[in-house]
Amino acid sequence: MTSPAGSTTLRRADGSAPRILVVDDEQMLTDLLSMALRMEGWDVKSAGSGFQALQVARDFEPDAMVLDIMMPDLDGMSVLQRLRHSGNDVPVLFLTAKDAVGDRVAGLTAGGDDYVTKPFSLEEVVARLRALMRRAGTARASEAEPILRVGDLSLNEDSHEVIRGDDEVELTATEFELLRFLMRNQRRVVSKAQILDRVWNYDFGGRSSVVELYISYLRKKIDQGHEPLIHTVRGVGYMIKAPQ
Protein backbone atom coordinates (compact mmCIF):
# COMPACT_ATOMS: atom_id res chain seq x y z
CA MET A 1 0.00 0.00 0.00
CA THR A 2 1.26 3.48 -0.79
CA SER A 3 0.32 6.88 0.56
CA PRO A 4 -1.25 9.58 -1.63
CA ALA A 5 2.18 11.18 -2.03
CA GLY A 6 3.47 7.99 -3.63
CA SER A 7 5.52 6.84 -0.63
CA THR A 8 5.18 3.60 1.28
CA THR A 9 2.96 3.49 4.34
CA LEU A 10 4.70 3.88 7.69
CA ARG A 11 3.77 1.67 10.62
CA ARG A 12 4.82 1.43 14.26
CA ALA A 13 6.57 -1.70 15.49
CA ASP A 14 3.22 -3.17 16.57
CA GLY A 15 1.73 -2.58 13.12
CA SER A 16 -0.47 0.33 14.17
CA ALA A 17 -0.51 3.75 12.51
CA PRO A 18 2.04 6.38 13.62
CA ARG A 19 0.67 8.92 16.09
CA ILE A 20 1.14 12.61 15.24
CA LEU A 21 0.34 15.59 17.46
CA VAL A 22 -0.24 18.90 15.65
CA VAL A 23 0.06 22.00 17.83
CA ASP A 24 -0.92 25.46 16.55
CA ASP A 25 -3.24 28.18 17.80
CA GLU A 26 -4.63 28.71 14.27
CA GLN A 27 -7.59 26.32 14.06
CA MET A 28 -7.77 26.37 10.26
CA LEU A 29 -4.10 25.43 10.05
CA THR A 30 -4.37 22.53 12.50
CA ASP A 31 -7.45 21.28 10.61
CA LEU A 32 -5.63 21.45 7.27
CA LEU A 33 -2.51 19.70 8.58
CA SER A 34 -4.53 17.07 10.42
CA MET A 35 -6.50 16.26 7.28
CA ALA A 36 -3.32 15.89 5.20
CA LEU A 37 -1.67 13.66 7.81
CA ARG A 38 -4.76 11.47 8.16
CA MET A 39 -4.65 10.97 4.38
CA GLU A 40 -1.27 9.32 5.02
CA GLY A 41 -3.10 6.82 7.21
CA TRP A 42 -1.71 8.30 10.44
CA ASP A 43 -3.45 8.72 13.80
CA VAL A 44 -3.63 12.47 14.42
CA LYS A 45 -4.60 14.62 17.39
CA SER A 46 -4.32 18.39 17.67
CA ALA A 47 -3.87 21.00 20.37
CA GLY A 48 -4.48 24.74 20.22
CA SER A 49 -2.18 25.86 23.03
CA GLY A 50 1.08 24.98 24.70
CA PHE A 51 -0.44 23.73 27.93
CA GLN A 52 -2.99 21.63 26.04
CA ALA A 53 -0.14 20.20 23.95
CA LEU A 54 1.66 18.97 27.08
CA GLN A 55 -1.48 17.25 28.34
CA VAL A 56 -2.26 15.61 24.98
CA ALA A 57 1.39 14.53 24.60
CA ARG A 58 1.22 12.74 27.98
CA ASP A 59 -2.02 10.95 27.14
CA PHE A 60 -1.51 10.31 23.41
CA GLU A 61 2.22 9.47 23.43
CA PRO A 62 2.82 10.69 19.85
CA ASP A 63 5.57 9.38 17.58
CA ALA A 64 6.19 12.90 16.24
CA MET A 65 4.98 16.45 16.84
CA VAL A 66 4.38 19.44 14.60
CA LEU A 67 4.88 22.33 17.01
CA ASP A 68 4.22 26.02 16.36
CA ILE A 69 6.64 28.35 18.13
CA MET A 70 4.44 31.44 18.53
CA MET A 71 1.51 30.63 20.83
CA PRO A 72 -0.25 32.92 23.32
CA ASP A 73 0.05 30.90 26.54
CA LEU A 74 3.17 28.75 26.38
CA ASP A 75 5.40 29.07 23.33
CA GLY A 76 6.77 26.13 21.39
CA MET A 77 10.27 26.50 22.82
CA SER A 78 8.89 26.22 26.36
CA VAL A 79 6.73 23.24 25.40
CA LEU A 80 9.78 21.49 23.99
CA GLN A 81 11.89 22.27 27.05
CA ARG A 82 9.24 20.79 29.35
CA LEU A 83 8.92 17.69 27.19
CA ARG A 84 12.68 17.12 27.19
CA HIS A 85 12.94 17.82 30.93
CA SER A 86 10.32 15.11 31.56
CA GLY A 87 12.34 12.64 29.48
CA ASN A 88 10.11 12.78 26.41
CA ASP A 89 12.32 12.51 23.29
CA VAL A 90 9.51 12.68 20.71
CA PRO A 91 10.83 14.05 17.38
CA VAL A 92 9.65 17.64 16.91
CA LEU A 93 9.13 19.54 13.67
CA PHE A 94 8.91 23.26 14.42
CA LEU A 95 6.34 25.17 12.39
CA THR A 96 6.38 28.96 12.51
CA ALA A 97 6.05 32.18 10.56
CA LYS A 98 9.52 33.18 11.70
CA ASP A 99 12.10 32.77 8.95
CA ALA A 100 15.25 34.38 10.34
CA VAL A 101 18.29 32.12 10.52
CA GLY A 102 18.67 32.98 14.22
CA ASP A 103 15.19 31.66 14.98
CA ARG A 104 15.90 28.45 13.12
CA VAL A 105 19.16 27.90 14.95
CA ALA A 106 17.48 28.63 18.30
CA GLY A 107 14.74 26.09 17.58
CA LEU A 108 17.13 23.36 16.58
CA THR A 109 19.53 24.14 19.43
CA ALA A 110 16.65 23.90 21.91
CA GLY A 111 16.18 20.27 20.91
CA GLY A 112 13.92 20.50 17.89
CA ASP A 113 14.64 18.04 15.11
CA ASP A 114 13.59 20.03 12.04
CA TYR A 115 12.07 23.35 11.02
CA VAL A 116 9.49 24.46 8.43
CA THR A 117 8.40 28.05 7.90
CA LYS A 118 4.97 29.30 6.87
CA PRO A 119 3.83 29.27 4.11
CA PHE A 120 4.75 25.66 3.45
CA SER A 121 3.71 22.77 1.24
CA LEU A 122 1.79 19.97 2.93
CA GLU A 123 3.93 17.46 1.03
CA GLU A 124 7.06 18.92 2.58
CA VAL A 125 5.66 18.65 6.11
CA VAL A 126 4.66 15.03 5.45
CA ALA A 127 8.07 14.22 3.97
CA ARG A 128 9.94 15.71 6.90
CA LEU A 129 7.76 13.93 9.46
CA ARG A 130 8.35 10.64 7.66
CA ALA A 131 12.10 11.26 7.77
CA LEU A 132 12.00 12.19 11.47
CA MET A 133 10.11 9.06 12.45
CA ARG A 134 12.28 6.77 10.36
CA ARG A 135 15.48 8.27 11.80
CA ALA A 136 14.11 7.96 15.32
CA GLY A 137 13.05 4.36 14.70
CA THR A 138 9.49 5.07 15.86
CA ALA A 139 8.02 4.02 12.52
CA ARG A 140 9.17 1.96 9.57
CA ALA A 141 8.09 1.46 5.99
CA SER A 142 5.62 -1.36 5.52
CA GLU A 143 7.11 -2.04 2.08
CA ALA A 144 10.74 -2.72 1.26
CA GLU A 145 11.12 -0.18 -1.54
CA PRO A 146 9.58 3.30 -1.18
CA ILE A 147 9.50 4.50 -4.77
CA LEU A 148 8.49 7.87 -6.17
CA ARG A 149 7.31 7.94 -9.78
CA VAL A 150 6.77 10.66 -12.37
CA GLY A 151 5.98 9.26 -15.80
CA ASP A 152 8.72 6.77 -16.71
CA LEU A 153 11.06 8.18 -14.04
CA SER A 154 11.37 6.33 -10.73
CA LEU A 155 13.38 7.16 -7.61
CA ASN A 156 14.00 4.64 -4.83
CA GLU A 157 14.43 6.49 -1.55
CA ASP A 158 16.10 3.55 0.18
CA SER A 159 18.58 2.37 -2.44
CA HIS A 160 18.97 5.81 -4.08
CA GLU A 161 18.49 4.21 -7.50
CA VAL A 162 17.06 6.48 -10.19
CA ILE A 163 15.74 5.02 -13.44
CA ARG A 164 14.40 6.81 -16.53
CA GLY A 165 12.75 4.40 -18.93
CA ASP A 166 15.13 1.42 -19.07
CA ASP A 167 18.24 3.35 -18.08
CA GLU A 168 19.72 3.85 -14.63
CA VAL A 169 20.73 7.46 -13.92
CA GLU A 170 23.78 8.24 -11.81
CA LEU A 171 23.26 11.28 -9.57
CA THR A 172 25.36 13.03 -6.95
CA ALA A 173 23.95 13.27 -3.42
CA THR A 174 22.81 16.86 -4.00
CA GLU A 175 21.27 16.07 -7.38
CA PHE A 176 19.40 13.18 -5.77
CA GLU A 177 18.00 15.40 -2.99
CA LEU A 178 16.94 18.02 -5.53
CA LEU A 179 15.19 15.44 -7.69
CA ARG A 180 13.51 13.87 -4.67
CA PHE A 181 12.19 17.28 -3.57
CA LEU A 182 10.82 17.98 -7.04
CA MET A 183 9.22 14.53 -7.25
CA ARG A 184 7.64 14.83 -3.81
CA ASN A 185 6.06 18.04 -5.05
CA GLN A 186 5.21 16.84 -8.56
CA ARG A 187 2.87 19.14 -10.51
CA ARG A 188 3.55 21.86 -7.91
CA VAL A 189 5.80 24.84 -8.65
CA VAL A 190 8.61 25.19 -6.11
CA SER A 191 10.63 28.40 -5.86
CA LYS A 192 14.42 28.73 -5.82
CA ALA A 193 14.17 29.85 -2.18
CA GLN A 194 12.21 26.72 -1.25
CA ILE A 195 14.74 24.53 -3.03
CA LEU A 196 17.70 26.21 -1.31
CA ASP A 197 15.96 25.87 2.04
CA ARG A 198 15.08 22.20 1.56
CA VAL A 199 18.02 20.78 -0.39
CA TRP A 200 20.84 22.71 1.25
CA ASN A 201 19.40 22.44 4.78
CA TYR A 202 19.51 26.09 5.89
CA ASP A 203 23.28 26.42 6.09
CA PHE A 204 24.06 27.10 2.44
CA GLY A 205 25.24 30.68 2.01
CA GLY A 206 25.17 30.84 -1.78
CA ARG A 207 22.82 32.50 -4.20
CA SER A 208 19.84 31.16 -6.08
CA SER A 209 22.08 30.75 -9.15
CA VAL A 210 23.25 27.45 -7.63
CA VAL A 211 19.69 26.14 -8.08
CA GLU A 212 19.77 27.01 -11.78
CA LEU A 213 23.10 25.21 -12.08
CA TYR A 214 21.85 22.00 -10.44
CA ILE A 215 18.59 22.10 -12.40
CA SER A 216 20.70 22.17 -15.56
CA TYR A 217 22.71 19.17 -14.28
CA LEU A 218 19.49 17.25 -13.62
CA ARG A 219 18.05 18.09 -17.03
CA LYS A 220 21.14 16.73 -18.78
CA LYS A 221 20.90 13.48 -16.84
CA ILE A 222 17.12 13.05 -16.64
CA ASP A 223 15.61 14.72 -19.70
CA GLN A 224 18.28 14.42 -22.39
CA GLY A 225 16.99 12.10 -25.11
CA HIS A 226 13.54 11.94 -23.48
CA GLU A 227 10.41 14.06 -23.35
CA PRO A 228 11.15 16.73 -20.70
CA LEU A 229 9.82 16.21 -17.18
CA ILE A 230 11.47 19.23 -15.50
CA HIS A 231 9.88 22.55 -16.44
CA THR A 232 10.75 26.17 -15.69
CA VAL A 233 7.89 28.46 -14.67
CA ARG A 234 9.42 31.84 -15.38
CA GLY A 235 9.49 34.22 -12.46
CA VAL A 236 8.18 31.52 -10.10
CA GLY A 237 10.35 28.41 -10.00
CA TYR A 238 10.45 24.82 -11.25
CA MET A 239 8.05 21.92 -11.57
CA ILE A 240 8.31 18.25 -12.48
CA LYS A 241 5.37 16.56 -14.16
CA ALA A 242 4.65 13.63 -16.44
CA PRO A 243 3.94 14.32 -20.12
CA GLN A 244 0.27 14.69 -20.94
Side-chain angles (χ1 to χ4, degrees):
M1 177 181 177
T2 57
S3 72
S7 300
T8 53
T9 303
L10 290 186
R11 284 287 179 260
R12 307 175 86 198
D14 63 2
S16 63
R19 298 175 182 175
I20 312 295
L21 174 57
V22 178
V23 184
D24 198 298
D25 61 334
E26 297 180 46
Q27 184 67 46
M28 288 183 63
L29 183 57
T30 56
D31 289 346
L32 182 65
L33 274 170
S34 297
M35 178 181 67
L37 300 180
R38 288 190 182 103
M39 287 180 65
E40 291 290 313
W42 299 346
D43 188 1
V44 183
K45 290 191 182 300
S46 62
S49 71
F51 287 114
Q52 184 184 11
L54 291 171
Q55 180 61 52
V56 175
R58 282 193 294 268
D59 297 339
F60 186 47
E61 297 182 349
D63 298 301
M65 287 179 65
V66 180
L67 181 59
D68 186 33
I69 287 184
M70 298 300 292
M71 290 184 291
D73 62 341
L74 189 67
D75 64 51
M77 297 286 193
S78 300
V79 170
L80 182 61
Q81 288 170 357
R82 294 190 184 200
L83 286 171
R84 297 295 187 250
H85 183 72
S86 68
N88 190 330
D89 292 326
V90 59
V92 170
L93 174 68
F94 273 129
L95 180 67
T96 179
K98 290 188 175 182
D99 58 2
V101 172
D103 294 323
R104 296 178 179 180
V105 172
L108 297 174
T109 302
D113 299 276
D114 205 348
Y115 201 113
V116 174
T117 56
K118 305 172 187 176
F120 54 84
S121 77
L122 293 173
E123 286 83 357
E124 183 175 3
V125 173
V126 169
R128 293 195 183 205
L129 282 173
R130 291 174 65 89
L132 287 182
M133 288 189 287
R134 293 177 79 166
R135 285 202 301 268
T138 54
R140 57 180 175 78
S142 61
E143 297 178 15
E145 294 188 344
I147 296 177
L148 302 177
R149 300 184 192 278
V150 177
D152 63 349
L153 175 68
S154 65
L155 179 149
N156 188 310
E157 294 185 287
D158 281 350
S159 68
H160 280 215
E161 290 177 303
V162 176
I163 296 175
R164 179 80 197 264
D166 297 322
D167 302 319
E168 187 169 352
V169 182
E170 296 291 336
L171 299 179
T172 67
T174 300
E175 290 166 352
F176 181 86
E177 287 302 323
L178 174 56
L179 181 61
R180 173 158 57 180
F181 182 56
L182 291 173
M183 292 180 74
R184 280 196 170 278
N185 290 278
Q186 62 176 294
R187 301 194 66 82
R188 173 177 276 104
V189 180
V190 292
S191 69
K192 292 177 183 177
Q194 287 175 311
I195 292 172
L196 278 172
D197 188 57
R198 176 66 181 89
V199 176
W200 278 269
N201 295 321
Y202 311 133
D203 56 1
F204 182 75
R207 298 181 298 274
S208 60
S209 58
V210 73
V211 176
E212 299 171 13
L213 183 62
Y214 272 85
I215 287 288
S216 72
Y217 292 160
L218 269 188
R219 280 182 166 142
K220 288 176 183 176
K221 295 184 176 183
I222 298 296
D223 284 344
Q224 195 162 5
H226 299 272
E227 192 165 357
L229 297 177
I230 302 171
H231 303 271
T232 299
V233 181
R234 297 199 179 280
V236 184
Y238 302 95
M239 174 175 59
I240 192 168
K241 64 177 182 179
Q244 295 296 323

